[in-house]
């Protein structure tokens, strides 16, 4: 797909700019130009497609569908819905409460809450453009597993008493206006959403690729492999802990991880790291503190954290 | 007319509030505009995605940042 683009960048860097192929600088520059544009194109394409499809969905429908489903089935369905629904920290709270109001069990609600940020379209688009579809499929598969099991465990712990607000159940569903759109309007909305996201993350992508390009061009493979390729037991948990504060910059972190894996970092540690970056976010925890007791939030973080760590170990062992 | 903007204080909610003020001024309407940030109150409307625009107790739009023009059209109907 990007062969022509690669040829063009080859021509640009090695012929037009007359840079020597063997030089560190030219390798780094080539990598930077090639990767940035490739990621931009895929990112815009994938996010546009996802948000276009999403105009047919609304959360009220999802909620109505999840109502009254048995627990384990509910966990599975909620996790799958998490892939297609948009997620930003500002919509997390009303959504969470809206689910609980519809008497959807806490565990099922949590399955959704874990899956939505973990399997968000930005992460999926970045993974796809950097690692290809296989790794993306593995990431989504394990992401679903973590959200299903995590939600199920939280449900079993009976932590309803840790919800700080008093939830008034509603029956039936809401009289929200069902907005009908034609195709042109759908495309327009998807496009404006895509541009919103793109404006938010393009700088992170450029920065991430720039640092990646530097590593790619200047830092020898043995050095990286020595520090991140070892299967030291602490590699995976350390990746997870490092991933927690990096929430906002998921898009910038991923190009870095790609370079590190191509230079010998173990894929399991890399996957755990990326999952921690997307799923465990401090800002989200801060917002959730307004409605959940710290005990419940800590449990939530612990369960997800352990799940991600286990996945990292499994990967490092089998790959 | 009573217009309420439901939101938890994210940037989109603030923008919707501003656009609503603009729309009301442009249309020369007489309206009371209120920002609702209290979770308990938002819950009563059973809105699942913020920001939401509520006019005289009726939910007009959820989860979207409307332009002043779109809001004006909603208010006139």
């Amino acid at each position: 797909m990007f062969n022509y683009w690669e040829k063009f960048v080859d021509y640009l860097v090695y012929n037009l700019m007359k840079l020597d192929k063997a030089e560190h600088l030219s390798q780094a520059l080539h990598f930077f130009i090639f990767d940035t544009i490739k990621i931009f194109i895929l990112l815009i394409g994938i996010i546009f497609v996802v948000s276009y499809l999403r105009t047919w969905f609304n959360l009220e429908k999802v909620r109505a569908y999840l109502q009254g489903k048995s627990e384990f089935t509910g966990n599975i369905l909620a996790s799958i819905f998490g892939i297609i629904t948009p997620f930003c920290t500002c919509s997390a709270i009303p959504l969470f409460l809206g689910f609980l109001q519809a008497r959807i069990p806490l565990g099922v609600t949590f399955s959704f809450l874990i899956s939505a940020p973990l399997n968000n379209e930005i992460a999926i688009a970045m993974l796809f453009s950097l690692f290809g579809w296989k790794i993306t499929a593995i990431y989504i598969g394990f992401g679903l597993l973590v959200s299903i099991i995590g939600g199920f465990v939280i449900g079993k712990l009976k932590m309803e008493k840790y919800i700080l607000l008093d939830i008034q159940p509603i029956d039936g569903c809401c009289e929200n206006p069902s907005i009908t759109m034609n195709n042109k309007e759908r495309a327009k909305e998807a496009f404006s959403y895509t541009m919103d996201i793109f404006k938010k993350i393009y700088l992170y992508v450029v920065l991430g690729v720039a640092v990646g390009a530097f590593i790619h061009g200047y830092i020898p493979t043995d050095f990286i492999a020595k520090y991140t390729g070892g299967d030291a037991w602490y590699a995976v948990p350390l990746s997870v802990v490092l991933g927690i504060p990096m929430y906002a910059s998921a898009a910038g972190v991923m190009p870095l991880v790609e370079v590190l894996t191509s230079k010998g970092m173990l894929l399991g540690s890399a996957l755990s790291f990326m999952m921690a970056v997307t799923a465990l976010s401090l800002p989200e925890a801060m917002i959730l503190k307004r409605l959940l007791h710290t005990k419940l939030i800590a449990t939530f973080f612990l369960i997800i954290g352990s799940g991600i760590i286990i996945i990292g170990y499994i990967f490092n062992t089998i790959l | 007319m009573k217009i309420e903007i439901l939101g938890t204080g994210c940037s989109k909610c603030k923008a919707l509030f501003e656009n609503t003020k603009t729309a009301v001024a442009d249309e020369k309407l007489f309206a009371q505009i209120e920002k609702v940030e209290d979770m308990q109150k938002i819950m009563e409307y059973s809105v699942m995605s913020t920001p939401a625009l509520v006019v005289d107790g009726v939910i007009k739009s959820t989860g979207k940042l409307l332009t002043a023009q779109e809001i004006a059209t909603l208010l006139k109907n």
Side-chain angles (χ1 to χ4, degrees), chain A residues 162-183:
Chain A
Y162 292 115
I163 300 168
L164 303 178
L165 283 172
D166 112 65
I167 308 275
Q168 309 126 331
I170 42 160
D171 286 314
C173 202
C174 7
E175 57 219 79
N176 276 354
S178 53
I179 303 157
T180 45
M181 288 196 269
N182 61 32
N183 265 341

PDB file of all heavy atoms in Angstrom, chain A residues 162-183:
ATOM      1  N   TYR A 162     -20.080   1.176  47.172  1.00  0.00           N
ATOM      2  CA  TYR A 162     -19.037   2.199  47.018  1.00  0.00           C
ATOM      3  C   TYR A 162     -19.382   3.267  45.986  1.00  0.00           C
ATOM      4  O   TYR A 162     -18.537   4.067  45.604  1.00  0.00           O
ATOM      5  CB  TYR A 162     -17.700   1.537  46.668  1.00  0.00           C
ATOM      6  CG  TYR A 162     -17.145   0.725  47.809  1.00  0.00           C
ATOM      7  CD1 TYR A 162     -17.011  -0.657  47.716  1.00  0.00           C
ATOM      8  CD2 TYR A 162     -16.778   1.354  48.993  1.00  0.00           C
ATOM      9  CE1 TYR A 162     -16.512  -1.396  48.769  1.00  0.00           C
ATOM     10  CE2 TYR A 162     -16.285   0.619  50.053  1.00  0.00           C
ATOM     11  CZ  TYR A 162     -16.154  -0.754  49.946  1.00  0.00           C
ATOM     12  OH  TYR A 162     -15.669  -1.477  50.991  1.00  0.00           O
ATOM     13  N   ILE A 163     -20.606   3.240  45.495  1.00  0.00           N
ATOM     14  CA  ILE A 163     -21.014   4.313  44.584  1.00  0.00           C
ATOM     15  C   ILE A 163     -21.512   5.470  45.437  1.00  0.00           C
ATOM     16  O   ILE A 163     -22.384   5.308  46.280  1.00  0.00           O
ATOM     17  CB  ILE A 163     -22.132   3.832  43.637  1.00  0.00           C
ATOM     18  CG1 ILE A 163     -21.616   2.643  42.827  1.00  0.00           C
ATOM     19  CG2 ILE A 163     -22.551   4.958  42.707  1.00  0.00           C
ATOM     20  CD1 ILE A 163     -22.690   1.913  42.075  1.00  0.00           C
ATOM     21  N   LEU A 164     -20.934   6.648  45.242  1.00  0.00           N
ATOM     22  CA  LEU A 164     -21.197   7.747  46.162  1.00  0.00           C
ATOM     23  C   LEU A 164     -22.501   8.494  45.893  1.00  0.00           C
ATOM     24  O   LEU A 164     -23.068   9.103  46.773  1.00  0.00           O
ATOM     25  CB  LEU A 164     -20.027   8.744  46.120  1.00  0.00           C
ATOM     26  CG  LEU A 164     -18.645   8.177  46.430  1.00  0.00           C
ATOM     27  CD1 LEU A 164     -17.601   9.260  46.299  1.00  0.00           C
ATOM     28  CD2 LEU A 164     -18.596   7.565  47.827  1.00  0.00           C
ATOM     29  N   LEU A 165     -22.959   8.478  44.645  1.00  0.00           N
ATOM     30  CA  LEU A 165     -24.190   9.205  44.357  1.00  0.00           C
ATOM     31  C   LEU A 165     -25.367   8.270  44.558  1.00  0.00           C
ATOM     32  O   LEU A 165     -25.216   7.063  44.515  1.00  0.00           O
ATOM     33  CB  LEU A 165     -24.199   9.666  42.897  1.00  0.00           C
ATOM     34  CG  LEU A 165     -23.349  10.872  42.570  1.00  0.00           C
ATOM     35  CD1 LEU A 165     -23.315  11.058  41.070  1.00  0.00           C
ATOM     36  CD2 LEU A 165     -23.907  12.114  43.228  1.00  0.00           C
ATOM     37  N   ASP A 166     -26.539   8.886  44.759  1.00  0.00           N
ATOM     38  CA  ASP A 166     -27.641   7.959  44.880  1.00  0.00           C
ATOM     39  C   ASP A 166     -28.314   7.832  43.517  1.00  0.00           C
ATOM     40  O   ASP A 166     -28.651   8.807  42.858  1.00  0.00           O
ATOM     41  CB  ASP A 166     -28.529   8.391  46.067  1.00  0.00           C
ATOM     42  CG  ASP A 166     -29.871   8.875  45.662  1.00  0.00           C
ATOM     43  OD1 ASP A 166     -30.596   8.046  45.140  1.00  0.00           O
ATOM     44  OD2 ASP A 166     -30.167  10.070  45.876  1.00  0.00           O
ATOM     45  N   ILE A 167     -28.377   6.602  43.051  1.00  0.00           N
ATOM     46  CA  ILE A 167     -28.823   6.338  41.689  1.00  0.00           C
ATOM     47  C   ILE A 167     -30.329   6.125  41.678  1.00  0.00           C
ATOM     48  O   ILE A 167     -30.830   5.256  42.365  1.00  0.00           O
ATOM     49  CB  ILE A 167     -28.151   5.044  41.153  1.00  0.00           C
ATOM     50  CG1 ILE A 167     -26.640   5.105  41.320  1.00  0.00           C
ATOM     51  CG2 ILE A 167     -28.574   4.764  39.729  1.00  0.00           C
ATOM     52  CD1 ILE A 167     -25.900   5.801  40.231  1.00  0.00           C
ATOM     53  N   GLN A 168     -31.039   6.973  40.929  1.00  0.00           N
ATOM     54  CA  GLN A 168     -32.482   6.729  40.824  1.00  0.00           C
ATOM     55  C   GLN A 168     -32.737   5.931  39.569  1.00  0.00           C
ATOM     56  O   GLN A 168     -32.482   6.406  38.474  1.00  0.00           O
ATOM     57  CB  GLN A 168     -33.237   8.056  40.736  1.00  0.00           C
ATOM     58  CG  GLN A 168     -32.861   9.015  41.819  1.00  0.00           C
ATOM     59  CD  GLN A 168     -32.423  10.345  41.240  1.00  0.00           C
ATOM     60  OE1 GLN A 168     -31.911  10.419  40.131  1.00  0.00           O
ATOM     61  NE2 GLN A 168     -32.624  11.392  42.015  1.00  0.00           N
ATOM     62  N   PRO A 169     -33.230   4.717  39.756  1.00  0.00           N
ATOM     63  CA  PRO A 169     -33.447   3.879  38.580  1.00  0.00           C
ATOM     64  C   PRO A 169     -34.517   4.485  37.676  1.00  0.00           C
ATOM     65  O   PRO A 169     -35.451   5.130  38.158  1.00  0.00           O
ATOM     66  CB  PRO A 169     -33.961   2.556  39.156  1.00  0.00           C
ATOM     67  CG  PRO A 169     -33.756   2.634  40.612  1.00  0.00           C
ATOM     68  CD  PRO A 169     -33.652   4.067  40.990  1.00  0.00           C
ATOM     69  N   ILE A 170     -34.345   4.300  36.387  1.00  0.00           N
ATOM     70  CA  ILE A 170     -35.395   4.715  35.470  1.00  0.00           C
ATOM     71  C   ILE A 170     -35.861   3.474  34.737  1.00  0.00           C
ATOM     72  O   ILE A 170     -35.082   2.568  34.479  1.00  0.00           O
ATOM     73  CB  ILE A 170     -34.899   5.737  34.435  1.00  0.00           C
ATOM     74  CG1 ILE A 170     -33.514   5.326  33.940  1.00  0.00           C
ATOM     75  CG2 ILE A 170     -34.902   7.126  34.987  1.00  0.00           C
ATOM     76  CD1 ILE A 170     -33.148   5.931  32.643  1.00  0.00           C
ATOM     77  N   ASP A 171     -37.122   3.433  34.412  1.00  0.00           N
ATOM     78  CA  ASP A 171     -37.599   2.280  33.675  1.00  0.00           C
ATOM     79  C   ASP A 171     -37.867   2.688  32.244  1.00  0.00           C
ATOM     80  O   ASP A 171     -38.057   3.854  31.943  1.00  0.00           O
ATOM     81  CB  ASP A 171     -38.867   1.728  34.324  1.00  0.00           C
ATOM     82  CG  ASP A 171     -38.505   1.011  35.609  1.00  0.00           C
ATOM     83  OD1 ASP A 171     -37.538   0.230  35.557  1.00  0.00           O
ATOM     84  OD2 ASP A 171     -39.150   1.257  36.636  1.00  0.00           O
ATOM     85  N   GLY A 172     -37.874   1.699  31.390  1.00  0.00           N
ATOM     86  CA  GLY A 172     -38.085   1.995  29.986  1.00  0.00           C
ATOM     87  C   GLY A 172     -36.925   2.842  29.512  1.00  0.00           C
ATOM     88  O   GLY A 172     -35.847   2.790  30.066  1.00  0.00           O
ATOM     89  N   CYS A 173     -37.155   3.635  28.522  1.00  0.00           N
ATOM     90  CA  CYS A 173     -36.039   4.502  28.124  1.00  0.00           C
ATOM     91  C   CYS A 173     -36.510   5.884  27.831  1.00  0.00           C
ATOM     92  O   CYS A 173     -37.648   6.249  28.051  1.00  0.00           O
ATOM     93  CB  CYS A 173     -35.244   3.909  26.973  1.00  0.00           C
ATOM     94  SG  CYS A 173     -33.609   4.657  26.979  1.00  0.00           S
ATOM     95  N   CYS A 174     -35.633   6.559  27.370  1.00  0.00           N
ATOM     96  CA  CYS A 174     -35.690   8.008  27.423  1.00  0.00           C
ATOM     97  C   CYS A 174     -36.437   8.549  26.220  1.00  0.00           C
ATOM     98  O   CYS A 174     -36.551   7.910  25.191  1.00  0.00           O
ATOM     99  CB  CYS A 174     -34.269   8.511  27.433  1.00  0.00           C
ATOM    100  SG  CYS A 174     -33.137   7.154  27.162  1.00  0.00           S
ATOM    101  N   GLU A 175     -36.918   9.754  26.372  1.00  0.00           N
ATOM    102  CA  GLU A 175     -37.638  10.369  25.266  1.00  0.00           C
ATOM    103  C   GLU A 175     -36.692  11.266  24.484  1.00  0.00           C
ATOM    104  O   GLU A 175     -37.048  12.367  24.100  1.00  0.00           O
ATOM    105  CB  GLU A 175     -38.803  11.176  25.805  1.00  0.00           C
ATOM    106  CG  GLU A 175     -38.346  12.228  26.800  1.00  0.00           C
ATOM    107  CD  GLU A 175     -39.307  12.357  27.970  1.00  0.00           C
ATOM    108  OE1 GLU A 175     -39.260  11.512  28.874  1.00  0.00           O
ATOM    109  OE2 GLU A 175     -40.093  13.297  27.947  1.00  0.00           O
ATOM    110  N   ASN A 176     -35.464  10.792  24.333  1.00  0.00           N
ATOM    111  CA  ASN A 176     -34.508  11.631  23.617  1.00  0.00           C
ATOM    112  C   ASN A 176     -34.865  11.744  22.155  1.00  0.00           C
ATOM    113  O   ASN A 176     -35.387  10.816  21.568  1.00  0.00           O
ATOM    114  CB  ASN A 176     -33.108  11.040  23.741  1.00  0.00           C
ATOM    115  CG  ASN A 176     -32.462  11.487  25.027  1.00  0.00           C
ATOM    116  OD1 ASN A 176     -33.027  12.307  25.727  1.00  0.00           O
ATOM    117  ND2 ASN A 176     -31.306  10.950  25.330  1.00  0.00           N
ATOM    118  N   PRO A 177     -34.603  12.885  21.576  1.00  0.00           N
ATOM    119  CA  PRO A 177     -34.939  13.044  20.165  1.00  0.00           C
ATOM    120  C   PRO A 177     -34.093  12.090  19.331  1.00  0.00           C
ATOM    121  O   PRO A 177     -32.895  11.989  19.533  1.00  0.00           O
ATOM    122  CB  PRO A 177     -34.537  14.498  19.876  1.00  0.00           C
ATOM    123  CG  PRO A 177     -33.520  14.825  20.913  1.00  0.00           C
ATOM    124  CD  PRO A 177     -33.885  14.024  22.117  1.00  0.00           C
ATOM    125  N   SER A 178     -34.734  11.348  18.485  1.00  0.00           N
ATOM    126  CA  SER A 178     -33.936  10.506  17.604  1.00  0.00           C
ATOM    127  C   SER A 178     -33.628  11.356  16.377  1.00  0.00           C
ATOM    128  O   SER A 178     -34.524  11.748  15.632  1.00  0.00           O
ATOM    129  CB  SER A 178     -34.705   9.253  17.210  1.00  0.00           C
ATOM    130  OG  SER A 178     -35.950   9.630  16.684  1.00  0.00           O
ATOM    131  N   ILE A 179     -32.361  11.663  16.253  1.00  0.00           N
ATOM    132  CA  ILE A 179     -31.981  12.543  15.154  1.00  0.00           C
ATOM    133  C   ILE A 179     -31.742  11.708  13.902  1.00  0.00           C
ATOM    134  O   ILE A 179     -30.947  10.776  13.924  1.00  0.00           O
ATOM    135  CB  ILE A 179     -30.702  13.330  15.524  1.00  0.00           C
ATOM    136  CG1 ILE A 179     -30.941  14.111  16.807  1.00  0.00           C
ATOM    137  CG2 ILE A 179     -30.300  14.270  14.395  1.00  0.00           C
ATOM    138  CD1 ILE A 179     -29.685  14.459  17.554  1.00  0.00           C
ATOM    139  N   THR A 180     -32.451  12.024  12.862  1.00  0.00           N
ATOM    140  CA  THR A 180     -32.212  11.298  11.621  1.00  0.00           C
ATOM    141  C   THR A 180     -31.292  12.133  10.743  1.00  0.00           C
ATOM    142  O   THR A 180     -31.445  13.337  10.629  1.00  0.00           O
ATOM    143  CB  THR A 180     -33.530  11.033  10.864  1.00  0.00           C
ATOM    144  OG1 THR A 180     -34.285  12.243  10.889  1.00  0.00           O
ATOM    145  CG2 THR A 180     -34.312   9.919  11.508  1.00  0.00           C
ATOM    146  N   MET A 181     -30.326  11.447  10.146  1.00  0.00           N
ATOM    147  CA  MET A 181     -29.364  12.167   9.318  1.00  0.00           C
ATOM    148  C   MET A 181     -29.324  11.512   7.949  1.00  0.00           C
ATOM    149  O   MET A 181     -29.537  10.317   7.828  1.00  0.00           O
ATOM    150  CB  MET A 181     -27.968  12.057   9.934  1.00  0.00           C
ATOM    151  CG  MET A 181     -27.795  12.876  11.182  1.00  0.00           C
ATOM    152  SD  MET A 181     -26.052  13.043  11.557  1.00  0.00           S
ATOM    153  CE  MET A 181     -25.797  11.663  12.608  1.00  0.00           C
ATOM    154  N   ASN A 182     -29.035  12.308   6.941  1.00  0.00           N
ATOM    155  CA  ASN A 182     -28.777  11.679   5.661  1.00  0.00           C
ATOM    156  C   ASN A 182     -27.271  11.442   5.522  1.00  0.00           C
ATOM    157  O   ASN A 182     -26.490  11.875   6.368  1.00  0.00           O
ATOM    158  CB  ASN A 182     -29.330  12.526   4.503  1.00  0.00           C
ATOM    159  CG  ASN A 182     -28.671  13.895   4.453  1.00  0.00           C
ATOM    160  OD1 ASN A 182     -27.500  14.031   4.815  1.00  0.00           O
ATOM    161  ND2 ASN A 182     -29.412  14.897   4.011  1.00  0.00           N
ATOM    162  N   ASN A 183     -26.885  10.739   4.466  1.00  0.00           N
ATOM    163  CA  ASN A 183     -25.490  10.345   4.315  1.00  0.00           C
ATOM    164  C   ASN A 183     -24.511  11.496   4.324  1.00  0.00           C
ATOM    165  O   ASN A 183     -23.411  11.403   4.856  1.00  0.00           O
ATOM    166  CB  ASN A 183     -25.313   9.540   3.029  1.00  0.00           C
ATOM    167  CG  ASN A 183     -25.388   8.066   3.344  1.00  0.00           C
ATOM    168  OD1 ASN A 183     -25.222   7.672   4.497  1.00  0.00           O
ATOM    169  ND2 ASN A 183     -25.652   7.258   2.340  1.00  0.00           N
TER     170      ASN A 183
END
